[in-house]
Amino acid sequence: MFDKILIANRGEIALRVIRACREMGIASVAVHSTADADAMHVRMADETICIGPAPSTDSYLSVAAIISACEVSGAQAIHPGYGFLSENARFVQAVEDHGLTFIGPSAAHISEMGDKITAKETAKALGIPVVPGSEGGVATLEEAKIIGAEFGYPVIIKATAGGGGRGMKVAKSEAEMERAFQTARAESKAAFGNDEVYIEKYLQKPRHIEVQVFGDGQGGGVHLGERDCSLQRRHQKVFEEAPGPSISAEERAEIGSICANAIARMGYSGAGTIEFLYEDGGFYFIEMNTRLQVEHPVTEAIFGQDLVREQIRVAAGMPLSFRQEDLEINGHAIEVRINAEKLPNFSPSPGRISQYHAPGGLGVRMDSALYDGYRIPPYYDSLIGKLIVHGRDRTEALARLNRALGELIVDGVDTTIPLFGALLQEPDIHSGNYTIHWLEKWLEAGGVDR
């Protein structure tokens, strides 16, 4: 086992890893930019190292600075959290080249699943169901129109190197194809430096279902059920729950087994998430995230497993501490993402926290790096906390979420807390009757202002 781990991240996820390290008796090293000198993860870690100025390109995204911090501190392994360098294969290779351990999958697996076309081809070869579409990149408008005619409109054009909804456009007819195709390529080029796109059949009323998987890197793998992340704005998740309210036990067992077998065949190591669109009983692969997800706490809640601890154990060469038959779902969990954003436009709202009070009580968990007097810097993601609730069933979890939101106080900046209070007034939320398009339509109709 490692003696010391460096956490190449900030905010609540850095704190999450520090806590796991402390429980395991492992020393933690926090890195930080000059803007984060007073951040909570810096205060909580056993050691701290400043790795550069405020812009993430000069600090949290600086491979050289992070490797140097490891060498200075004597850390043997790096936990990347999520975001930043967590899915950067070149970073992982650099870590390994310096004799350090990356707490996550191999550079090869990150590369394989980081390219959308290669990931889809790999998924098909492993028996994972995929959305019908082009076999590879689509280079010309003429080819795009042929594919549109073959699969039938609507279709969606996606950047092969994309993410977060960038480089993604829908064409509802051949007349819309030229504009959608050219716009998707231009956005992809601007965002990722790569204008290659591919085309898939566009599912009109799907849910977003993701399966949590874990591999030991030695041919073993398990799944920890699914999460429903259908409530999204601009392809960004805001409300996640497990288990999925629309998924039957039989569907869960079938798709879970397919995913667990796939990562076992890959020889995958650590945590991963295989994401699907789900419609009319069918699962269609969209991507694999080769890292810990923001919403991992809902899976931890219903299975009673510490996924960060398991990441560290597997990276140290230890076998999984649980088998598939050990994993049983207990109740229902929901997570809402609290962002420092001003409603209804969701514009960033950095600033000083004048008062912070976290909710508590049975079945309530608040993952946040906030404290009274903390100044949220304007340089990074607007996520400032995750409120997670767990109940015996979905009804109890929703009631607990409503109660916890009433206790949560974040003064000094605007937040998305009112969004969730408004959502909990909607019958569709209580019935679980929504798709990936529901939230945006509700917001367009003025839902948050009601």
Side-chain angles (χ1 to χ4, degrees):
M1 182 51 68
F2 309 114
D3 296 318
K4 186 182 292 186
I5 290 173
L6 181 140
I7 299 126
N9 217 299
R10 64 181 299 277
E12 65 85 15
I13 188 59
L15 275 181
R16 171 73 185 85
V17 179
I18 289 168
R19 287 168 174 150
C21 288
R22 188 149 294 163
E23 290 182 12
M24 298 175 74
I26 300 171
S28 60
V29 181
V31 296
H32 67 91
S33 70
T34 53
D36 276 338
D38 293 326
M40 184 60 80
H41 77 282
V42 176
R43 298 183 176 200
M44 290 283 286
D46 296 306
E47 298 178 35
T48 65
I49 297 177
C50 181
I51 55 171
S56 57
T57 51
D58 299 324
S59 51
Y60 298 107
L61 290 173
S62 173
V63 173
I66 291 170
I67 297 292
S68 296
C70 261
E71 294 177 340
V72 169
S73 65
Q76 302 146 309
I78 297 176
H79 195 298
Y82 53 73
F84 291 132
L85 294 168
S86 63
E87 293 180 286
N88 187 307
R90 287 179 294 177
F91 172 60
V92 177
Q93 192 61 57
V95 170
E96 294 172 353
D97 289 346
H98 282 79
L100 304 167
T101 300
F102 179 77
I103 300 177
S106 66
H109 283 145
I110 291 175
S111 292
E112 186 176 25
M113 298 316 244
D115 179 88
K116 300 298 175 67
I117 292 176
T118 304
K120 185 176 179 180
E121 292 171 348
T122 301
K124 285 179 69 176
L126 292 169
I128 299 173
V130 301
V131 181
S134 62
E135 290 298 323
V138 179
T140 67
L141 177 60
E142 290 70 26
E143 186 182 354
K145 287 181 177 180
I146 291 171
I147 293 169
E150 178 183 354
F151 293 109
Y153 291 92
V155 296
I156 185 165
I157 302 101
K158 296 181 177 180
T160 63
R166 290 173 292 180
M168 187 182 298
K169 295 296 173 184
V170 174
K172 298 179 181 177
S173 66
E174 184 174 323
E176 295 184 8
M177 177 59 87
E178 180 174 2
R179 180 178 177 83
F181 182 75
Q182 301 296 357
T183 303
R185 291 189 67 184
E187 286 187 3
S188 178
K189 182 68 172 178
F192 311 111
N194 180 349
D195 67 356
E196 185 178 43
V197 297
Y198 64 106
I199 297 176
E200 290 180 339
K201 178 69 178 173
Y202 182 62
L203 303 177
Q204 300 190 63
K205 294 183 179 180
R207 300 180 79 107
H208 185 125
I209 303 295
E210 58 187 31
V211 177
Q212 177 70 59
V213 292
F214 229 101
D216 62 7
Q218 303 169 36
V222 299
H223 73 87
L224 292 92
E226 82 290 345
R227 297 182 287 258
D228 189 314
C229 307
S230 301
L231 288 175
Q232 303 178 11
R233 174 183 174 271
R234 296 183 177 176
H235 304 284
Q236 298 294 319
K237 304 165 188 174
V238 300
F239 181 112
E240 302 109 343
E241 58 185 313
S246 64
I247 306 300
S248 68
E250 293 75 19
E251 289 173 325
R252 177 175 303 114
E254 181 179 3
I255 195 65
S257 178
I258 289 171
C259 293
N261 289 336
I263 65 152
R265 287 174 58 190
M266 290 171 65
Y268 186 87
S269 177
T273 303
I274 301 178
E275 305 206 359
F276 298 91
L277 293 178
Y278 170 83
E279 186 173 87
D280 297 330
F283 291 88
Y284 304 98
F285 173 86
I286 48 176
E287 66 179 343
M288 179 176 180
N289 288 313
T290 52
R291 55 171 168 78
L292 195 69
Q293 293 279 77
V294 176
E295 58 273 18
H296 75 275
V298 295
T299 298
E300 293 184 324
I302 64 170
F303 284 105
Q305 298 289 346
D306 184 331
L307 298 186
V308 175
R309 175 180 177 272
E310 203 66 22
Q311 283 185 297
I312 295 170
R313 292 182 75 261
V314 167
M318 301 175 71
L320 289 171
S321 63
F322 44 76
R323 299 166 299 174
Q324 192 66 61
E325 54 266 33
D326 299 326
L327 298 169
E328 295 185 7
I329 293 175
N330 173 29
H332 197 94
I334 300 171
E335 173 184 295
V336 294
R337 301 190 188 194
I338 309 300
N339 292 348
E341 295 174 346
K342 184 176 179 60
L343 300 172
N345 297 323
F346 295 86
S347 55
S349 178
R352 181 179 175 276
I353 301 297
S354 57
Q355 185 177 13
Y356 171 66
H357 175 75
L362 182 64
V364 175
R365 167 179 167 181
M366 186 73 194
D367 282 13
S368 176
L370 295 183
Y371 60 85
D372 288 356
Y374 173 64
R375 186 172 293 279
I376 300 169
Y379 310 103
Y380 313 113
D381 188 88
S382 59
L383 179 71
I384 56 173
K386 305 181 313 197
L387 173 57
I388 306 103
V389 296
H390 180 225
R392 288 171 293 184
D393 53 31
R394 189 170 187 269
T395 299
E396 183 172 80
L398 285 166
R400 193 156 282 165
L401 175 61
N402 190 52
R403 186 264 295 173
L405 284 166
E407 294 180 15
L408 176 59
I409 298 173
V410 182
D411 286 343
V413 298
D414 290 294
T415 74
T416 53
I417 294 172
L419 167 68
F420 302 109
L423 284 174
L424 288 178
Q425 305 304 311
E426 294 295 327
D428 284 348
I429 300 301
H430 287 270
S431 67
N433 181 31
Y434 48 80
T435 71
I436 61 171
H437 307 301
W438 189 95
L439 181 59
E440 288 200 333
K441 291 179 179 179
W442 180 79
L443 289 168
E444 289 170 3
V448 75
D449 294 322
R450 292 173 188 168

